[in-house]
């Protein structure tokens, strides 16, 4: 992993990186729950992106890291950021804010590994083996079982435009992952991630100014959520994700996202006292089995 991660994350053994990534990524649902009553989604994300750019730029400058060379390098990183961070996070946050149940949103975003496997061959020339297809299918089944009780509780319907935006967000992170794999084989991940979040901010800040009032209550939960969103999710989680994309097949990396709903459900159980139905525990085991199968493909 030393060859793949920047110096700030080189201490993380390669075999631990996937598990650490899943744990970090799953906290995103916890952050969303903490801040939702106190801040508008795009306003919160704009502050998150700005803080992340500041932290990553500071780390890169202190280490003397190489920034993208020429317009093409900046273009590639900016586009990756618009897709991986901007459209994806903005879309999911907006959809949930507009009434899409979190369980439905999680299920829609769980389509990402399937979409990635479908397009990885034509766009990257990666062959998705039968074993990996099996793992992807099993993982999707496990994620569905984990989310089943929440889906059943989502009665009364939901806005179709919110569902459409959430699906578009899933498509965006899928193509962002492929674009990152294709264009970032030799870049410094610290500066690449910093430029990505500049791209996300360029997209999100104008949308926030046009559509929101800027509400951000500086309460302790919001400030703690913002600090973790910047340092844990956006700095730690994204750097590990980019390193995993560089190292492995994108279909295998995407399969890790099937573990996010089970881990998020376990965190909600521990932190908020949410119940875990037997079908959810079964779903966790199935999802783990699916990712294990896919990772050996």
């Amino acid at each position: 992993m030393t060859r793949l991660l920047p110096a700030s994350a080189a201490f993380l053994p390669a075999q631990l990186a996937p598990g650490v990534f899943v744990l970090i990524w799953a906290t995103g649902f916890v952050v969303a729950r903490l801040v939702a009553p106190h801040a508008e989604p795009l306003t919160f994300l704009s502050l998150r992106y700005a803080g992340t750019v500041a932290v990553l730029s500071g780390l890169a400058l202190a280490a003397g890291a190489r920034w993208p060379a020429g317009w093409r390098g900046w273009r590639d990183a900016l586009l990756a950021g618009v897709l991986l961070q901007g459209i994806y996070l903005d879309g999911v946050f907006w959809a949930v804010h507009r009434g899409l149940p979190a369980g439905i949103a999680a299920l829609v975003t769980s389509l990402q590994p399937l979409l990635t496997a479908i397009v990885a061959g034509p766009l990257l020339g990666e062959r998705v083996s039968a074993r990996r297809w099996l793992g992807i299918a099993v993982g999707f089944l496990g994620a569905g079982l984990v989310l089943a009780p929440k889906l059943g509780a989502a009665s009364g319907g939901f806005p179709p435009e919110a569902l459409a935006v959430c699906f578009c967000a899933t498509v965006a992170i899928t193509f962002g992952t492929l674009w990152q794999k294709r264009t970032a084989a030799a870049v410094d991940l610290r500066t690449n991630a910093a430029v990505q979040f500049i791209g996300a901010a360029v997209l999100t800040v104008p949308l926030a100014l046009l559509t929101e009032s800027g509400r951000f209550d500086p309460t302790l939960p919001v400030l703690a959520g913002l600090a973790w969103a910047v340092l844990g999710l956006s700095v730690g989680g994204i750097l590990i994700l980019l390193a995993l994309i560089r190292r492995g097949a994108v279909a295998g990396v995407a399969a890790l996202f099937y573990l996010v709903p089970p881990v998020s459900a376990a965190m909600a159980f521990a932190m908020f006292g949410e119940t875990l139905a037997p079908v959810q525990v079964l779903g966790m085991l199935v999802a783990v089995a699916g990712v294990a199968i896919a990772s050996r493909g």
Side-chain angles (χ1 to χ4, degrees):
M1 182 61 67
T2 303
R3 294 173 298 164
L4 301 169
L5 288 173
S8 59
F11 64 88
L12 186 63
Q15 60 269 29
L16 295 181
V20 173
F21 166 73
V22 171
L23 287 173
I24 292 175
W25 205 259
T27 64
F29 291 92
V30 177
V31 170
R33 174 162 180 166
L34 285 173
V35 306
H38 309 286
E40 291 176 295
L42 298 184
T43 298
F44 177 82
L45 288 173
S46 296
L47 294 172
R48 170 179 171 176
Y49 298 153
T52 303
V53 170
V55 171
L56 287 172
S57 298
L59 291 174
L61 292 172
R66 180 168 56 89
W67 289 82
W71 161 243
R72 177 172 293 184
W74 280 83
R75 178 205 65 187
D76 291 345
L78 288 169
L79 180 56
V82 168
L83 293 170
L84 279 171
Q85 275 76 242
I87 297 177
Y88 173 67
L89 288 175
D90 292 4
V92 171
F93 271 62
W94 184 90
V96 173
H97 183 69
R98 285 302 181 98
L100 187 68
I104 299 289
L107 184 61
V108 173
T109 56
S110 291
L111 293 172
Q112 189 218 342
L114 179 60
L115 295 176
T116 301
I118 291 172
V119 299
L123 296 184
L124 293 180
E126 288 187 1
R127 177 182 173 273
V128 181
S129 67
R131 181 191 293 270
R132 182 153 284 161
W133 276 115
L134 175 62
I136 289 170
V138 172
F140 184 71
L141 173 62
L145 290 173
V146 171
L147 297 170
K150 294 183 179 180
L151 299 180
S155 58
F158 44 82
E161 67 273 13
L163 179 63
V165 167
C166 188
F167 180 75
C168 289
T170 305
V171 173
I173 193 175
T174 299
F175 282 96
T177 300
L178 297 171
W179 183 256
Q180 177 71 16
K181 179 72 173 180
R182 170 176 283 184
T183 63
V187 301
D188 186 288
L189 294 185
R190 291 162 296 192
T191 55
N192 183 258
V195 176
Q196 284 190 24
F197 279 101
I198 292 174
V202 168
L203 172 70
T204 305
V205 171
L207 289 175
L209 292 174
L210 288 172
T211 63
E212 297 182 351
S213 65
R215 183 172 64 88
F216 181 86
D217 303 329
T219 60
L220 182 59
V222 174
L223 295 176
L226 180 60
W228 175 250
V230 170
L231 298 175
L233 285 161
S234 294
V235 175
I238 289 297
L239 286 178
I240 296 173
L241 175 61
L242 297 183
L244 290 170
I245 292 172
R246 175 180 291 182
R247 183 184 68 181
V250 291
V253 173
L256 292 173
F257 285 89
Y258 283 143
L259 295 178
V260 172
V263 175
S264 296
M267 288 180 176
F269 171 78
M271 298 181 64
F272 304 119
E274 293 187 3
T275 59
L276 277 176
V279 68
Q280 291 179 288
V281 177
L282 174 62
M284 292 179 182
L285 298 176
V286 173
V288 170
V291 174
I293 295 170
S295 65
R296 297 175 185 227

